[in-house]
Amino acid sequence: MATVARESIGPLNDKITVKLSKDDYLPAFEKKVKEYSKNANIPGFRKGNVPAGMVKRMYGSAIYTEEVLRTVEKELYTYLQQENPDMFAQPMALENGAPKLDYANPSEYEFGFEIGLKPVFELASLKKAKLTLHKVKVTDEMVQEEVNRMQIKGGKMTEPEEVNNEENVLNVHFTESDKDGNPVGGGISKENSVILKYFSPALQKQLMGKKKDDTVVFQLNKSFEKDKLDMMLADLGLDKEDKEAAKKYFKLTIVKIGLVEKRELNEEFFKEVFPGAGITTEDAFRAKLKEEIEQYWASQSRNQLHDQLYHYFIDETPMQFPETFLKRFLQSGGDQPKTVEEAEAEFPFFSNQLKWTLISDKIIKDNSLQVTADDVKESMKAEVLRYFGGASLGDDQSWLDSYIDRMMKDEKHVDTTYRRLITEKLFNWAEAQVSPKEKEVTGDELNAMMHNHNH
């Protein structure tokens, strides 16, 4: 009779040994041989009359191996279902853990597997978390900058005869040259579009009053600030780290001059930006815009606080892992096998992912956080409405319910929505447990924090 035994072979790493006697698999092997005898088509024998000995010589090894392994698998998973160890992934066969099988000499067999166990742990106490809520104060200048952006976005492109505004969009042809404007043989030749204000003040002044087909010779590193220089080098196919490339001269030929005529701040424009809001005055428009900008930065501020919470849980929750098992799993568990070195390099990131999965699962379970089918539906509905940008969809929205029902049949979409909603509930719960100190920062400072740590 088959036996299954379990023993520890390392921290959170157990060995499971499955022992089979001949009686566990041999009857099934003989039965399968008889079935083959009845159904096999072998030249020289009538169907159903193929001798068992012939079947064994031709297929015995494969049938034998299949039945032994099937029996081992059955015993192993019956044991796991009964014992239900809290383990990672699936059992892995131990190296040299499988015996050599010989159907001509049935005997007792012993198969070895290993499992990696999940750790028992306590969450880091949020009472000890020192967190900061970084808040951005929305100024009139920020509102004005957004007003200008919207006016330009909704504006009409005109073609003035000469360069006369720092907002002029210049379609130009760049030709690599010497400092006197003589073309360099085999040099770069490319058309581009540049807003005048992106050039250095000196070159802007030089370009003022120029018309179509007029030319100017300039040196890259003296004509652009650092961030704009990097962008221009990339546009020209040059390496931004190459200091010599930044010293190159180019002859600029104006192909076309453009200028966006800004939209007038009137009721028609207000309705386009905020449909259905009933905004009729510039003051009300600016107030609504300020409210939206404040909501945006409040959301970013909370996201950054959630990032701090993530790091606090990851850094301050002690947790042990079955490293040897997990590194072996990394080598063989994916779509593509990995080398020992690749698994070793990937392990820190992989273990952090596992750690967060265990932490988040515990928070969700301990606090009975749930996302219902109705929650998923409402989220999808809001997603569709956001797509229409608040535009009126009419009184009859029965089509919307039908559309959401179809979306609910998309398992991938449902799963993505569920994961997002349960993560939101998790962080909302964690946020409610803490009292972070507040600190005023600029939008650029908060953006830099989000860029450096985004999970």
Side-chain angles (χ1 to χ4, degrees):
M1 182 177 177
T3 61
V4 182
R6 178 175 159 192
E7 62 180 306
S8 174
I9 55 174
L12 298 173
N13 194 189
D14 284 5
K15 175 184 177 181
I16 296 178
T17 303
V18 180
K19 291 183 179 179
L20 301 182
S21 69
K22 290 189 290 185
D23 292 340
D24 294 314
Y25 63 84
L26 205 53
F29 167 67
E30 297 293 352
K31 180 181 178 181
K32 188 60 67 74
V33 168
K34 289 179 181 179
E35 290 176 359
Y36 266 73
S37 298
K38 293 178 181 178
N39 299 307
N41 287 312
I42 298 178
F45 297 93
R46 283 190 301 169
K47 186 174 181 180
N49 290 314
V50 180
M54 176 69 73
V55 172
K56 285 185 178 181
R57 284 195 297 275
M58 296 182 69
Y59 307 111
S61 181
I63 298 172
Y64 187 78
T65 300
E66 181 182 340
E67 288 305 317
V68 171
L69 295 182
R70 185 187 61 78
T71 305
V72 170
E73 184 175 302
K74 177 185 173 184
E75 295 296 333
L76 174 64
Y77 283 98
T78 297
Y79 172 84
L80 292 175
Q81 286 174 358
Q82 292 172 346
E83 297 296 319
N84 195 27
D86 195 9
M87 63 183 190
F88 290 111
Q90 296 295 319
M92 289 192 297
L94 284 168
E95 295 178 1
N96 303 317
K100 186 177 180 181
L101 305 180
D102 181 4
Y103 80 93
N105 295 290
S107 61
E108 291 188 350
Y109 294 121
E110 186 174 299
F111 291 81
F113 302 89
E114 67 171 323
I115 58 173
L117 301 173
K118 294 180 181 178
V120 176
F121 63 94
E122 291 296 325
L123 284 175
S125 172
L126 286 173
K127 293 179 181 179
K128 298 179 181 179
K130 295 180 180 179
L131 308 171
T132 303
L133 183 64
H134 299 95
K135 303 187 76 172
V136 175
K137 182 179 179 181
V138 178
T139 64
D140 290 341
E141 289 76 13
M142 293 166 71
V143 174
Q144 182 59 49
E145 185 178 333
E146 185 62 13
V147 169
N148 290 338
R149 189 189 69 80
M150 289 184 165
Q151 284 181 287
I152 291 172
K153 182 180 178 182
K156 181 177 71 175
M157 181 66 77
T158 62
E159 295 184 22
E161 289 189 6
E162 64 179 37
V163 180
N164 57 11
N165 191 302
E166 69 169 6
E167 298 292 341
N168 279 136
V169 178
L170 304 183
N171 287 9
V172 298
H173 192 282
F174 290 125
T175 304
E176 189 177 347
S177 67
D178 60 21
K179 63 181 180 179
D180 297 318
N182 300 309
V184 173
I188 297 169
S189 178
K190 186 176 181 181
E191 287 198 7
N192 209 336
S193 294
V194 187
I195 300 176
L196 184 66
K197 65 182 179 183
Y198 285 3
F199 289 109
S200 66
L203 189 52
Q204 287 183 47
K205 184 176 180 181
Q206 193 176 353
L207 285 164
M208 281 292 182
K210 298 292 185 183
K211 298 181 180 180
K212 182 178 179 299
D213 298 327
D214 285 348
T215 63
V216 170
V217 177
F218 67 93
Q219 191 175 17
L220 284 172
N221 60 359
K222 294 181 180 178
S223 303
F224 296 96
E225 298 297 332
K226 181 68 173 80
D227 58 332
K228 301 298 188 298
L229 176 61
D230 289 346
M231 180 180 68
M232 186 54 60
L233 287 167
D235 283 350
L236 293 170
L238 297 169
D239 184 358
K240 68 179 182 180
E241 304 300 332
D242 185 351
K243 289 183 169 51
E244 293 303 312
K247 296 178 182 179
K248 287 179 178 287
Y249 285 88
F250 282 86
K251 183 178 181 180
L252 176 157
T253 303
I254 298 175
V255 178
K256 183 179 175 181
I257 303 169
L259 180 66
V260 176
E261 191 177 279
K262 289 184 179 181
R263 283 291 298 275
E264 186 179 346
L265 294 176
N266 54 26
E267 193 170 339
E268 178 187 7
F269 180 56
F270 304 152
K271 287 181 178 178
E272 286 182 19
V273 177
F274 297 116
I279 296 174
T280 58
T281 67
E282 183 177 338
D283 286 345
F285 174 71
R286 289 179 179 274
K288 177 66 173 174
L289 199 56
K290 185 174 184 179
E291 178 187 328
E292 293 227 333
I293 297 172
E294 286 173 338
Q295 289 175 354
Y296 168 78
W297 284 116
S299 173
Q300 294 298 96
S301 180
R302 288 187 67 219
N303 287 344
Q304 204 283 321
L305 177 62
H306 293 175
D307 185 79
Q308 293 178 59
L309 285 165
Y310 167 86
H311 279 286
Y312 177 76
F313 280 128
I314 287 289
D315 297 339
E316 302 300 327
T317 300
M319 198 177 295
Q320 189 179 23
F321 284 115
E323 289 194 17
T324 302
F325 171 85
L326 291 174
K327 287 174 182 177
R328 274 196 65 207
F329 173 78
L330 272 177
Q331 285 180 255
S332 59
D335 295 332
Q336 295 291 333
K338 293 182 175 65
T339 64
V340 172
E341 292 74 21
E342 288 172 335
E344 194 74 36
E346 191 177 319
F347 185 74
F349 176 74
F350 176 68
S351 61
N352 258 10
Q353 284 184 311
L354 282 183
K355 190 173 186 179
W356 176 246
T357 298
L358 294 175
I359 288 171
S360 56
D361 285 349
K362 183 174 178 61
I363 292 173
I364 291 166
K365 181 180 178 181
D366 290 354
N367 296 281
S368 302
L369 304 181
Q370 293 182 337
V371 172
T372 66
D374 286 340
D375 293 333
V376 174
K377 279 188 175 182
E378 285 303 310
S379 177
M380 289 181 175
K381 186 174 182 179
E383 182 183 337
V384 173
L385 293 175
R386 279 195 301 272
Y387 176 80
F388 286 100
S392 175
L393 301 178
D395 296 329
D396 183 10
Q397 293 191 16
S398 57
W399 65 270
L400 183 56
D401 292 332
S402 177
Y403 184 70
I404 298 302
D405 287 340
R406 290 198 299 274
M407 291 176 71
M408 288 292 290
K409 293 176 182 177
D410 183 340
E411 291 185 10
K412 186 176 180 181
H413 197 154
V414 170
D415 183 64
T416 300
T417 304
Y418 170 83
R419 289 174 183 274
R420 176 173 55 78
L421 292 177
I422 197 65
T423 301
E424 287 176 4
K425 289 198 174 190
L426 186 158
F427 279 111
N428 289 344
W429 169 84
E431 185 181 347
Q433 313 304 310
V434 298
S435 299
K437 67 178 182 179
E438 295 187 1
K439 179 181 179 181
E440 189 173 301
V441 295
T442 66
D444 286 343
E445 288 172 333
L446 185 54
N447 277 334
M449 295 177 203
M450 299 296 289
H451 177 73
N452 290 333
H453 298 281
N454 190 17
H455 302 281

